[in-house]
C-alpha cells in the first residue's frame, strides 16, 4: 500500500510517501525556508502553502520513485490548526484522491504526533504513555491500541512550547525561543533560580502560565526595566528549562506509577529538547520500559506522521468521504476512540 | 468613557471578571492589551467560567480558540500575526461580524486598524507582584 501524506495545519507545508510501512520521502518546507526561495515575505498559512505544495508533491514522488497513479491512499491533516492553512492541504488531498479515484483519509494532527514514534527503528509497544509537547499542545495520554487513546491530562493555559517562546521573548531572545533557550541552558546552572511547578486539581494536567509570570516577576525584581545581562542568560535559561522539563517529567512519572504500560513516547516539537530527552530516558529506565522519542524531523510538524497515521486508519478501513471538512479546534478530536479518565 | 480598576490578586480578578461577564451581550467584542504575563488570558479564562466554559487556554499559537456552552466564544490572539493581511486567510473578517458569539482579542492593539469600531478595550498593566491596573474603555 502506497500512502501519500499531506500536512499544512500551521507554518509548515509537508508531503511524505510511505510504501508498505516504509518511509520513502518526507519533505518539509517551513515558511521560513520558503521566504528564502519565494523572494517575498509570505503570509502565515494559506498562500505560502498554496505556492509550495505542488512542487513538494512532485519532488516527493520523484524521491520515492513512484508515479502519481501508484498512490493508493491520500491522507491529509484535517485539524486542529489554522483553518485557512488546513484547507489548502485538505482540499488539495481531496482533489487529488477524487481525480485519481483513490481512497482518502482525514488525519487528526495530534494523532499524527501520537503515532510518530512508529517512524523510528525502535517502535513503541502498546499500551504506551504518550506525552505530546508542542507550541500549541501539551497532552498526556495512554495509547492502548491503534484506535484507542485515553486522555489523562492537558494544559489548562499555555502549551509547553509556547512557554519556551514567551520566556525567550521576556529574556530578550529572538524567535523561535525554544532552541535558543536550550542553547543558553547548556552553559547554565539549572538549580540557581527556583521557578515554580504548578499544582493542579487533576494531577495529570499542566499549567505554564504561572511560570511565565514568575519569570517576569523575577526579571523585574532583579533588573527593573533594563535588559537581562548576557552573563546571566545561561543560568536563567537553564533554570527555566529545568522547571518546564521537571513539570513534564513529574506528571509522566506519576502516570507510570499508576498505569502499567510498555513504553514511554515523547512527541511534538518540544520533544527535540535534549534535556527533556535525557530525563525521559532516565525515567523510562527507572521503570524498566522502552523510551521512544522520534528524530527531530518527526518531532516538528511533518507529513511522515500524517502518512503513517493515514496508513493505520486505512488498514482499519477508516476512510473518509470527500465531504469531510477541516476543523480548527481540538474538541472534535474523535476519529479514534478518545476517552477521558 | 474610561474607568480604572485596581486588582490586588487572583480573587479580585475573578470577582471583576464575574461582574464584567454579566454585562456582556452576544456579539460584543472585547479587546485585551498589555504585556506578557499581565493577565489577559487569565481574565478570559476566569470570565468564561461564568458561562460554564472550563477549557480556556492561550490562543497565542492557535490564533483562534472557540468555546461553547451557555455562550459561544471566539478567543483570538494577534501575538503571532506579522501582517494584518494574514487575518484574511484565518477568517477573521467573517468571524468578527458574528453576532451570536462574544469575541475576545488579545494583543488587539498590534493591528488596531482591523478592530471593529464598537468594542470594549481592557488595558492590563502590571503594578507589582499580583497587582494589576485595568483600564476599561468603551468605543
Amino acid at each position: 500500500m502506497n500512502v501519500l501524506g499531506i500536512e499544512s495545519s500551521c507554518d509548515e507545508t509537508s508531503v511524505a510517501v510511505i510504501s508498505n510501512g516504509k518511509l520513502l520521502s518526507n519533505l518539509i518546507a517551513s515558511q521560513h525556508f520558503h521566504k528564502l526561495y519565494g523572494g517575498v515575505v509570505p503570509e502565515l498559512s494559506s498562500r505560502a502553502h498554496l505556492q509550495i505544495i505542488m512542487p513538494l508533491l512532485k519532488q516527493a514522488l520523484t524521491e520515492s520513485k513512484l508515479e502519481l497513479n501508484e498512490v493508493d491512499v491520500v491522507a491529509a491533516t484535517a485539524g486542529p490548526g489554522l483553518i485557512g492553512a488546513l484547507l489548502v492541504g485538505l482540499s488539495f488531498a481531496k482533489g487529488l484522491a477524487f481525480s485519481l479515484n483513490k481512497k482518502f483519509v482525514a488525519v487528526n494532527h495530534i494523532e499524527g504526533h501520537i503515532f510518530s514514534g512508529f517512524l523510528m527503528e525502535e517502535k513503541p509497544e502498546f499500551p504506551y504513555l504518550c506525552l505530546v509537547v508542542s507550541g500549541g499542545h501539551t497532552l498526556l495520554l495512554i495509547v492502548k491500541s491503534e484506535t484507542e487513546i485515553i486522555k489523562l491530562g492537558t494544559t489548562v493555559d499555555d502549551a509547553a512550547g509556547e512557554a519556551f517562546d514567551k520566556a525567550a521573548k521576556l529574556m530578550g531572545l529572538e524567535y523561535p525561543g525554544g532552541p535558543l533557550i536550550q542553547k543558553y541552558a547548556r552553559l547554565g546552572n539549572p538549580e540557581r533560580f527556583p521557578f515554580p511547578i504548578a499544582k493542579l486539581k487533576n494531577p495529570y494536567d499542566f499549567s505554564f502560565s504561572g511560570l511565565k509570570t514568575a519569570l517576569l516577576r523575577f526579571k523585574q525584581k532583579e533588573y527593573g526595566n533594563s535588559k537581562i545581562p548576557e552573563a546571566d542568560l545561561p543560568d536563567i535559561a537553564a533554570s527555566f528549562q529545568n522547571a518546564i522539563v521537571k513539570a513534564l517529567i513529574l506528571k509522566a512519572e506519576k502516570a507510570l506509577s499508576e498505569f502499567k504500560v510498555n513504553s514511554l513516547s515523547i512527541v511534538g516539537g518540544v520533544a527535540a529538547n535534549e534535556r527533556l530527552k535525557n530525563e525521559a530516558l532516565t525515567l523510562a529506565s527507572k521503570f524498566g520500559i522502552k523510551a521512544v522519542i522520534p528524530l527531530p524531523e518527526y518531532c516538528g510538524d511533518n507529513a511522515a506522521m500524517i502518512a503513517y497515521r493515514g496508513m493505520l486508519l486505512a488498514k482499519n478501513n477508516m476512510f473518509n468521504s470527500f465531504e469531510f471538512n477541516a476543523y480548527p479546534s481540538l474538541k472534535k478530536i474523535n476519529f479514534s476512540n478518545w476517552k477521558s479518565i | 468613557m474610561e474607568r480604572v480598576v485596581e486588582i490586588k490578586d487572583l480573587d479580585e480578578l475573578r470577582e471583576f471578571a464575574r461582574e464584567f461577564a454579566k454585562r456582556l451581550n452576544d456579539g460584543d467584542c472585547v479587546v485585551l492589551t498589555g504585556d506578557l504575563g499581565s493577565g489577559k488570558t487569565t481574565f478570559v479564562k476566569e470570565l468564561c467560567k461564568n458561562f460554564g466554559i472550563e477549557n480556556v487556554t492561550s490562543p497565542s499559537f492557535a490564533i483562534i480558540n472557540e468555546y461553547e456552552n451557555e455562550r459561544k466564544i471566539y478567543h483570538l490572539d494577534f501575538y503571532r500575526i506579522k501582517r494584518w493581511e494574514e487575518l484574511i486567510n484565518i477568517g477573521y473578517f467573517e468571524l468578527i461580524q458574528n453576532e451570536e458569539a462574544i469575541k475576545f482579542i488579545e494583543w488587539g492593539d498590534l493591528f488596531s486598524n482591523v478592530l471593529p469600531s464598537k468594542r470594549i478595550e481592557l488595558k492590563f498593566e502590571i503594578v507589582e507582584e499580583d497587582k494589576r491596573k485595568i483600564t476599561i474603555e468603551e468605543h
Side-chain angles (χ1 to χ4, degrees), chain A residues 127-309:
Chain A
Y128 63 91
L129 184 72
C130 186
L131 178 63
V132 184
V133 268
S134 68
H137 305 283
T138 309
L139 287 157
L140 192 62
L141 313 144
I142 289 183
V143 189
K144 291 180 79 176
S145 70
E146 285 175 7
T147 52
E148 251 180 308
I149 299 162
I150 296 169
K151 182 173 132 195
L152 300 180
T154 183
T155 179
V156 299
D157 40 53
D158 300 3
E162 178 183 347
F164 272 117
D165 282 337
K166 289 198 170 161
K169 179 116 182 181
L170 287 171
M171 289 165 65
L173 306 175
E174 287 185 12
Y175 186 89
L180 276 175
I181 288 191
Q182 170 168 297
K183 203 175 120 204
Y184 277 104
R186 276 191 204 125
L187 313 164
N189 171 8
E191 306 293 339
R192 179 161 165 209
F193 306 112
F195 288 116
I197 293 173
K199 287 207 170 62
L200 297 146
K201 243 186 276 165
N202 174 357
Y204 302 118
D205 275 347
F206 304 90
S207 166
F208 296 110
S209 173
L211 183 58
K212 175 182 69 192
T213 316
L215 176 65
L216 177 76
R217 207 174 278 169
F218 165 83
K219 185 188 155 197
Q220 282 178 331
K221 200 172 127 235
E222 297 289 319
Y223 313 103
N225 287 325
S226 50
K227 241 183 111 195
I228 300 177
E230 183 78 18
D232 285 356
L233 286 175
D235 285 351
I236 297 171
S239 302
F240 188 84
Q241 176 176 272
N242 189 41
I244 293 187
V245 169
K246 253 194 185 157
L248 296 171
I249 291 293
L250 272 175
K251 312 275 161 150
E253 182 165 15
K254 180 158 175 57
L256 290 177
S257 324
E258 189 86 9
F259 305 97
K260 175 95 187 76
V261 293
N262 290 323
S263 311
L264 165 68
S265 189
I266 303 196
V267 299
V270 180
N273 180 282
E274 57 198 31
R275 167 100 199 204
L276 178 61
K277 214 182 283 186
N278 289 338
E279 296 281 327
L281 291 174
T282 311
L283 179 66
S285 76
K286 192 172 149 189
F287 282 83
I289 57 171
K290 201 190 313 187
V292 181
I293 299 152
L295 290 172
E297 60 257 45
Y298 311 134
C299 282
D301 291 348
N302 66 87
M305 66 183 194
I306 302 305
Y308 190 86
R309 183 61 185 148

Side-chain angles (χ1 to χ4, degrees), chain A residues 10-11 41 43-47 82-84 135-136 155-158 162 165-166 169-170 175 209 212-213 216-217 220 328 331, chain B residues 36-38 41-42 45 56-58 60-63 66 68 77 79-83 85-86 89-91 107 126 129-130 132:
Chain A
C10 196
D11 300 353
V41 179
E43 291 163 14
L44 185 75
S45 71
S46 322
R47 195 178 298 175
L82 305 177
I83 197 78
T155 179
V156 299
D157 40 53
D158 300 3
E162 178 183 347
D165 282 337
K166 289 198 170 161
K169 179 116 182 181
L170 287 171
Y175 186 89
S209 173
K212 175 182 69 192
T213 316
L216 177 76
R217 207 174 278 169
Q220 282 178 331
K331 68 177 179 192
Chain B
L36 278 179
S38 59
T41 307
T42 308
K45 195 177 176 67
V56 173
T57 54
S58 166
S60 292
F61 188 83
I63 299 173
E66 205 181 313
E68 197 165 0
D77 194 331
Y79 183 75
R80 245 161 49 87
I81 304 282
K82 290 181 220 74
R83 304 194 307 155
E85 289 89 342
E86 294 169 12
N89 287 328
I90 287 159
W107 295 94
I126 302 167
E129 300 263 314
D130 282 342
R132 299 290 185 269

